[in-house]
Structure formats: C-alpha cells, structure tokens
C-alpha cells in the first residue's frame, strides 16, 4: 500500500492478524475493487458487487419529489436549499478549518428572500450524539426562527435531498448523493485529508464549486443555479447496478448463511412521506413592497436581516405574536399569528385580530394564518377580510403584507374585493381572492 491509510480501505480497518475480518465486503462499483486491491489486497477476494441500497431507495422515490417538497412547505416558484454536514472536525459543522458555520448561520435566513427560498438542514446523527440535541438547537435557533427546517437525521434526509434545488455541504455522502442526482452543490468545507486521492469522492471535492461564506449568499446561489452543469463522476460511480441492490444483497446473505433463497422479488422499503412542516417564521420580518397597478403588489420578505433590504418600494415590519422579543410587536406595522380557526385555545381568528389591534396600537393590520392558503385580516379602520390564495402559493402572511402596502398607499379595499389581489414573489404571480 502506498500513501497514508485511507478511511475504510486500509488494513487497519479490514484485517485482523493479516486476515479479513468480514466474509464479504459489499462494493457498489467496480472502481472500488481496484482501489481495494491497491490498498488492501488481502481483502480483495471477499469483495462482492451488490450496489447501493440507500441510493436505490432514493432513485425509486424520485417520482414523489413534489410530495416531499410540499411536506416541507415549499411552494410554487420557491427554491429549497439544503444545508448538510458530515461529522468530523473539518466538516461544515466541524470546529476546525475556516469556521465556516459561525459566519454562515446568522445569514442563512436573513439574506435569502423568505418567499423565494426555503431552507432546511440535515446533520449527521453523530453530530447530534456528540453535541446533544439541546446544543444543536441552540446553535441553529436564530436560523430556525427565521424559517430553517431541521430535518430528522435518520428518517427524513433522503426525502429532503430529493426535494432540494441546491445543496450546501461538505465531503460527506449527502453532498455526493446530491451530485449523483444532478443537484447543484456548493462545498462550504472541502478537506482532502483522509480521502483516497484516486476516489470518486476526492475528485468530486476537487471539482465541485466552493462557497465563500463571507460573500453574499443570494448572488452566489443564483449564479450556481444558472450555470449548473452536473458533474459526470458522481452519477456514473455511485452504483454500477442501479435498482439491483435488494436482489444482489439477498442472494449474498442467503449464500452466507447457507439456506435457499426465497422466491419472489427482493424489495427495499419505500421512503415514507414525512410529516407536513411548513415554515413558521417568528423572527421579525422586514418587507419590501412595490405597487405595480391593477391590484398587483410585489412582496420581498427577509427574516431578521442585518441590513435593510435594497430595492425600489416601501418598507414595513411584520412581526409574529410568538416572537422571542415581545417588544418588537410595538414596532410592527403588521402583526401575524398562526392557528386553526377551531382551536379552542385560541378563539376565532377575527376576534384574535381585534385583540391584537387593541394590544398593539401602533400596528395598522393584524393577520392570522388559518391554513396553508388563507388568512383572516382586520385593519385599523375596522375592515375584516379573508385573503384566499390557491394551493401551492406562498405563506399567506405575504398576502397580508401585500394588502397592507395597498392600503398604506391610499388605495381602496373595495377595488380588491371586486377584482382580487395579485401578489408577486420573485418571478411568480399569485392570485388572491379578497372576501369580506
């Protein structure tokens, strides 16, 4: 063997007293056999080409991508960015190297327009085990209040990966699987130490685009998506036998235990549909709006931004009643709440809106989101309306901000009840019914 020991392929991993510790070593691609022969030839006779059951489950679930996106509350025209990290000190979530994460975390949800980007994070189970759930949630608290979804590290990461439009990661398997699916990947951490320099993962780390955590995120993501060309290596080298791992592994296992293999197809468990988890942004929102005429309003919302959003239009502040800092509610132009209209703990949304206006005399409008498509709004002038969008639209709180901008410009509510309201988020226009 030449060079430093390679993780997973060196004699220290595979041999005991010079003999293989395993009866069979499962490989997903013939190129791995060549590297095994180079690094640990004594284990090569145990190698069996049996594919990758994890990747096969991902491939089989590709037709359900839209369902997985809806489970995370991703709406029409919105992009899902998945942050992921493996578990060593040089990973994206590690404590060595360039301290990428401390520079990145406060900016994740603040810099990206909330209705154009949805964010989720997948962290290796060993990160949860090593630091503890409390510490993980503490580190991610600000981003979570800005709308970051924290994905289950065992049962939900494959579905989130399939749903993603872009991935920010490191040299771990999630980033490599993303590249194999053709998803754009930015590497925030890219160490080559410990990787076989001839391995597909090392080639991926050398070739994938890099994330500079100190430059604006929005522009970097937009350039990545616009210029993306899938790397050929990951798709070709993740598995040589896609869709065959269940059958090959079953044949191997029954041959090892020496009993006849059952008849019938060998099947892998389907990826389950995760619970519905729409974003709940309790951080204060700065909202940039612009009236385009004919009942159309552009809305760009940023959660807890460090700097004022830039662009033509008018700014206002929208604050959720569950904000960490209740004092922010006294500064709000729009007060927001969420809850089912029949929840006995909360009361009817029209009453809650009236109570919010009474508690916060500085706000112009109170809105309560009652389901995925609509919200109930009461204005300072006493008007009560229901805003209803179509399925696949943005957070209905964006509709409330559009209505506030319309009324603040001196426009008539009657005009909207006749023809409706058009709310534009990014490049997508959403039709909203205004019901009195």
């Amino acid at each position: 063997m030449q060079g430093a020991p390679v993780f997973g392929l060196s004699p220290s991993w595979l041999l005991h007293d010079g003999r293989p510790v395993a009866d069979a070593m499962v490989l997903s691609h013939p190129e791995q056999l060549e590297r095994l022969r180079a690094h640990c030839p004594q284990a090569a006779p145990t190698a069996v080409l049996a594919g990758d059951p994890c990747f096969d489950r991902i491939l089989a679930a590709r037709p359900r991508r839209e369902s997985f996106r809806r489970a995370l509350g991703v709406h029409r025209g919105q992009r899902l960015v998945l942050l992921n990290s493996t578990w060593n000190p040089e990973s994206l979530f590690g404590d060595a190297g360039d301290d990428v994460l401390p520079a990145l975390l406060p900016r994740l949800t603040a810099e990206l327009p909330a209705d154009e980007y949805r964010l989720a994070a997948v962290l290796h189970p060993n990160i949860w085990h090593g630091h503890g759930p409390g510490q993980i949630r503490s580190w991610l608290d600000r981003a979570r209040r800005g709308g970051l979804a924290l994905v289950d590290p065992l049962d939900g990461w494959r579905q989130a990966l399939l749903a993603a439009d872009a991935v920010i990661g490191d040299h771990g398997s999630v980033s490599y699987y993303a590249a194999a699916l053709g998803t754009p990947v930015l590497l925030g951490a890219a160490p080559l130490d410990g990787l076989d320099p001839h391995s597909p993962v090392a080639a991926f780390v050398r070739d994938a685009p890099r994330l500079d955590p100190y430059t604006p995120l929005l522009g970097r993501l937009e350039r990545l998506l616009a210029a993306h060309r899938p790397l050929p290596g990951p798709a070709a080298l993740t598995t040589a036998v896609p869709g065959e791992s269940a059958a090959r592994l079953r044949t191997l296992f029954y041959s090892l235990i020496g009993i006849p293999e059952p008849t019938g197809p060998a099947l892998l468990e389907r990826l389950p549909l995760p619970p519905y988890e729409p974003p709940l942004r309790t951080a204060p929102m700065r909202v940039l709006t612009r009236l385009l005429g004919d009942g159309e309003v552009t809305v760009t919302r940023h959660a807890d931004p460090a700097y004022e959003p830039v662009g033509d239009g008018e700014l206002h502040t929208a604050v959720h009643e569950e904000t960490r800092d209740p004092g922010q509610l006294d500064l709000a132009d729009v007060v927001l709440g969420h809850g089912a209209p029949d929840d006995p703990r909360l009361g009817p949304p029209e009453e809650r809106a009236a109570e919010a206006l009474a508690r916060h005399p500085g706000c112009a409008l109170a809105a309560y989101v009652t389901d995925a498509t609509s919200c109930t709004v009461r204005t300072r002038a006493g008007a009560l309306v229901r805003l209803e969008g179509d399925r696949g639209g943005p957070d209905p709180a964006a509709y409330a901000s559009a209505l506030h901008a319309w009324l603040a410009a001196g426009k008539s509510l009657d005009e909207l009840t006749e023809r409706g309201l058009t709310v534009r988020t990014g490049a997508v226009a959403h039709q909203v019914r205004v019901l009195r």
Side-chain angles (χ1 to χ4, degrees):
M1 184 181 68
Q2 297 179 350
V6 173
F7 181 86
L9 289 181
S10 64
S12 61
W13 281 85
L14 304 178
L15 303 180
H16 178 69
D17 291 336
R19 293 184 296 179
V21 297
D23 294 320
M25 183 174 183
V26 173
L27 306 179
S28 65
H29 199 282
E31 69 82 22
Q32 296 166 359
L33 178 58
E34 299 306 314
R35 291 189 291 114
L36 179 63
R37 287 170 175 158
H39 290 285
C40 187
Q42 302 95 317
T46 68
V48 178
L49 180 65
D52 185 331
C54 178
F55 194 57
D56 280 355
R57 293 180 75 198
I58 293 173
L59 292 176
R62 283 184 111 168
R64 304 177 71 199
R65 180 175 189 264
E66 288 305 316
S67 294
F68 298 150
R69 289 171 66 81
R70 286 193 290 268
L72 283 166
V74 180
H75 63 73
R76 182 166 52 92
Q78 194 176 36
R79 291 162 166 169
L80 173 64
V81 178
L82 184 66
L83 184 80
N84 84 90
S85 177
T86 190
W87 59 283
N88 70 39
E90 294 185 318
S91 67
L92 186 67
F93 221 79
D95 56 5
D98 297 327
D99 290 331
V100 172
L101 205 68
L104 189 60
L105 277 181
R107 301 166 45 215
L108 276 175
T109 54
E111 290 191 17
L112 301 179
D115 299 300
E116 298 171 46
Y117 286 88
R118 173 78 161 115
L119 287 128
V122 169
L123 306 180
H124 194 283
N126 285 0
I127 296 176
W128 288 90
H129 177 75
H131 296 290
Q135 181 64 75
I136 297 299
R137 292 190 171 92
S138 175
W139 281 331
L140 293 172
D141 177 69
R142 182 174 180 179
R144 292 176 69 210
R145 287 185 282 118
L148 176 79
L150 197 50
V151 178
D152 187 289
L154 296 178
D155 296 328
W157 70 268
R158 299 170 186 85
Q159 296 91 321
L161 180 60
L162 281 165
D165 295 288
V167 169
I168 298 174
D170 51 29
H171 59 298
S173 58
V174 176
S175 298
Y176 194 80
Y177 281 142
L181 291 170
T183 304
V185 178
L186 278 176
L187 295 184
L192 287 167
D193 295 343
L195 296 177
D196 181 351
H198 303 293
S199 69
V201 174
F204 163 68
V205 169
R206 289 190 293 266
D207 295 341
R210 296 289 191 273
L211 170 70
D212 182 347
Y214 305 102
T215 59
L217 291 172
L218 179 59
R220 185 66 184 95
L221 282 169
E222 289 181 340
R223 291 192 299 274
L224 172 77
L225 291 162
H228 175 60
R229 298 293 183 274
L231 297 172
L237 298 174
T238 297
T239 176
V241 286
E244 298 182 22
S245 63
R248 288 172 176 257
L249 287 170
R250 188 176 73 174
T251 297
L252 171 63
F253 297 155
Y254 275 89
S255 68
L256 289 174
I257 59 179
I259 61 176
E261 183 178 357
T263 59
L267 302 172
L268 296 171
E269 185 177 358
R270 284 166 53 90
L271 294 181
L273 183 64
Y276 179 52
E277 187 181 356
L280 178 61
R281 299 179 179 91
T282 61
M285 308 283 290
R286 285 296 277 165
V287 187
L288 180 67
T289 60
R290 184 159 59 95
L291 272 62
L292 301 179
D294 296 326
E296 185 169 357
V297 182
T298 66
V299 176
T300 306
R301 301 188 303 157
H302 292 263
D304 194 20
Y307 304 99
E308 292 282 46
V310 177
D312 296 332
E314 299 296 325
L315 282 165
H316 70 263
T317 300
V319 181
H320 199 281
E321 63 182 358
E322 298 297 330
T323 180
R324 178 70 59 83
D325 181 3
Q328 293 289 330
L329 289 164
D330 295 331
L331 307 176
D333 301 289
V334 175
V335 170
L336 302 170
H338 282 71
D342 58 352
D343 189 330
R345 301 171 301 171
L346 303 176
E350 57 272 18
E351 293 182 10
R352 296 175 62 199
E355 293 168 358
L357 289 170
R359 284 194 302 269
H360 309 292
C363 79
L365 179 152
Y368 282 85
V369 177
T370 51
D371 56 45
T373 62
S374 60
C375 63
T376 296
V377 176
R378 191 182 289 276
T379 70
R380 178 61 63 184
L384 180 66
V385 299
R386 181 172 177 82
L387 305 179
E388 290 187 351
D390 294 325
R391 180 179 175 181
D395 177 1
Y399 305 157
S401 279
L403 178 61
H404 168 71
W406 179 264
L407 297 176
K411 299 289 186 177
S412 166
L413 183 60
D414 292 336
E415 189 176 351
L416 296 181
T417 57
E418 292 175 3
R419 66 183 178 189
L421 175 66
T422 301
V423 179
R424 184 173 291 276
T425 58
V428 180
H430 311 275
Q431 301 305 312
V432 181
R433 295 172 293 280
V434 182
L435 308 175
R436 301 183 72 172

